[in-house]
Amino acid sequence: MDDDDQPLHIAMYPWFAFGHLSPFLSLSNKLAERGHKISFLLPDRTQSKLDLLNFYPNLIQFIPLVLPAVEGLPPGSETTAEIPVALHHLLMAAMDATKPQVKTALSKLKPDYIFYDFTYWLPKLASKYGIKSVHYCTTSMAAISYLLVPATNKVEKGIDTQITEDEWMQQPRGFPPSSIRLRRHEAKAMSFITYRDYGNISFHERLTLSFRNADALCFRSSRELEGRFVDFIGDQYGKQVLLSGPLLPKPPSFKLEEKWDKWLNQFEPRTVIFCSFGSECRMEKDQFQELLFGFELTDMPFFLAVKPPFGALTMDEALPRGYKERIEDRGMVESGWVQQQLIMAHPSVGCFVSHCGLSSVTETLVNNPQLVLLPNTGDQYIIARLLAEDLRVGVEVEKREDNGSFTKENICKAIFTVMDEDNEIGKVVRENRLKMKELLVRDGFEDDYMTDFIEQLRDVDDDPFRD
């Protein structure tokens, strides 16, 4: 058998958040589909939540790890879904403390490669066993290009020197032609996001070191979506950049719950607004209510699936007085998990209001709903600009420049822009959306990317720690 036909053995060790665990498992499934072996390191009790998404259990082996106790971290916490954002740094510290377990696992497994994201110390550990390390990034190349390349640190600042608001609002030196820029309120937020403690070092330093220490960098994207950023990131870090393709979700094997299917079937095709902000996003109560009022103002049916806002324990507590009665016949507000992919594909859904998480956006692009963008934090700001201004496949909700607040009128306007057949901006967006969908679902599109990805992976240069 030719060396290029030999099955690879790849270990996976993603950050303990479902927005990272799921894409790593999606990539694992794509690799296992071609006969490659996967050893997937993850928290012990979290395994049961991912078992059903392991489509090749004969080739994908879960390697459970026990998280060491960390002062302040609630006992039993294993993922970010179980704790507030303010405690994420403690979970990161617990993940770092699994290093001895990871070392033992790698010494026994001896995989060819290990894919990781936040554990910046992993490449050096892996190199001791001749294992090549690949930083697999679950956000967009545009976001990394703007927020986390060395050129972001203006005037050759040190790796952990704080960047000013004005500097955050400027594109890094050499940034590819693009309309992407942070706004004032986003620049203020980035100063906190990137320099907050994240397990004994700052978030910014952790991510930058994770990129610098890798043998190669990998993104779940494509040249058709973000090709202009491939060479920029590669040049900035001096690394080979691999693209896995967008890793489109497989159609679920189960059906939409009967109660939701029955509710959606009441409405005409492409008339329902669907809104979901993921498992971790929470809004301030006043903005949450503006969102609700914005949907009400459209006079269109809507399905809202979000967490209660800060300060509210239940959804009923968060709803404005009389709201439930006013929207009873055409509105649904849910706080629990819903079958997002199946709801998105329902014929009645015509618009998706997204917080701009990359997985949700990808699901939208291969379905039919028009896209309204309401970014909440970090990389979501950049993804929103990429989609609304560079690719023009969605419309972003207008916000105040100074504090990022929006009104019900802003929500309503963005929805009407993509839904109104006579709106000129909407026409352009709808045409671009259709072209993008046709490209992404084209026969062979994903297979070609995966073939190239595996070929390039075999050619990854030796690790940066070897003399």
Side-chain angles (χ1 to χ4, degrees), residues 5-46:
D5 295 327
Q6 291 282 355
L8 300 173
H9 181 190
I10 300 171
M12 301 278 179
Y13 191 43
W15 166 226
F16 297 158
F18 283 101
H20 294 242
L21 290 161
S22 295
F24 270 72
L25 187 53
S26 293
L27 178 59
S28 299
N29 281 319
K30 295 288 185 184
L31 291 165
E33 185 178 13
R34 291 169 177 248
H36 302 292
K37 179 182 177 182
I38 308 296
S39 296
F40 200 110
L41 285 68
L42 79 175
D44 185 20
R45 292 186 309 281
T46 301

Side-chain angles (χ1 to χ4, degrees), residues 137 139-149 152 211 219 233 237:
C137 188
T139 189
S140 75
M141 287 190 286
I144 298 304
S145 296
Y146 194 103
L147 302 173
L148 282 170
V149 294
T152 300
F211 279 100
F219 293 86
I233 293 175
Y237 280 103

Side-chain angles (χ1 to χ4, degrees), residues 214-436:
D215 293 322
L217 311 179
C218 177
F219 293 86
R220 56 168 176 157
S221 190
S222 66
R223 286 192 174 272
E224 292 81 0
L225 285 169
E226 299 188 281
R228 77 196 81 167
F229 301 108
V230 174
D231 292 339
F232 179 67
I233 293 175
D235 291 344
Q236 284 283 307
Y237 280 103
K239 305 289 182 182
Q240 184 177 353
V241 177
L242 315 179
L243 302 180
S244 67
L247 298 184
L248 304 177
K250 276 191 173 184
S253 57
F254 45 89
K255 294 182 178 180
L256 181 60
E257 284 186 51
E258 185 179 355
K259 64 176 179 178
W260 300 133
D261 189 52
K262 184 177 179 181
W263 187 82
L264 288 167
N265 284 339
Q266 302 176 77
F267 306 106
E268 295 295 319
R270 308 281 171 259
T271 59
V272 177
I273 307 162
F274 176 47
C275 175
S276 175
F277 289 161
S279 61
E280 296 180 21
C281 176
R282 296 187 73 180
M283 305 176 72
E284 297 295 337
K285 189 171 183 178
D286 61 336
Q287 289 291 272
F288 175 80
Q289 294 194 346
E290 284 295 316
L291 183 71
L292 294 176
F293 290 140
F295 290 146
E296 183 181 12
L297 193 60
T298 65
D299 283 330
M300 298 168 68
F302 62 89
F303 188 133
L304 176 64
V306 294
K307 283 194 168 187
F310 291 113
L313 297 177
T314 66
M315 190 59 77
D316 284 343
E317 181 184 343
L319 295 177
R321 186 185 300 273
Y323 188 81
K324 186 181 289 188
E325 292 74 22
R326 294 199 304 274
I327 58 99
E328 186 176 14
D329 294 333
R330 64 180 179 91
M332 187 68 65
V333 183
E334 283 292 312
S335 60
W337 180 83
V338 298
Q339 298 162 295
Q340 177 171 304
Q341 191 179 346
L342 290 170
I343 293 172
M344 191 99 67
H346 193 282
S348 293
V349 176
C351 177
F352 179 54
V353 181
S354 173
H355 68 309
C356 302
L358 190 59
S359 295
S360 291
V361 164
T362 303
E363 283 184 15
T364 317
L365 291 176
V366 296
N367 275 293
N368 293 315
Q370 302 306 317
L371 191 54
V372 168
L373 309 162
L374 189 61
N376 179 65
T377 187
D379 61 331
Q380 297 166 12
Y381 304 138
I382 306 300
I383 293 171
R385 299 300 118 74
L386 174 71
L387 297 171
E389 299 181 20
D390 281 10
L391 300 176
R392 300 195 72 187
V393 293
V395 170
E396 187 174 353
V397 174
E398 293 177 21
K399 296 181 179 179
R400 281 184 53 169
E401 176 72 19
D402 58 344
N403 65 10
S405 64
F406 58 85
T407 65
K408 60 185 178 183
E409 288 82 9
N410 296 145
I411 295 292
C412 189
K413 178 182 177 182
I415 292 170
F416 278 158
T417 299
V418 297
M419 296 288 277
D420 182 0
E421 294 293 331
D422 296 324
N423 187 285
E424 291 302 320
I425 295 175
K427 287 179 181 178
V428 173
V429 167
R430 287 189 293 274
E431 288 174 3
N432 290 338
R433 277 277 291 107
L434 182 59
K435 291 176 184 176
M436 184 67 69

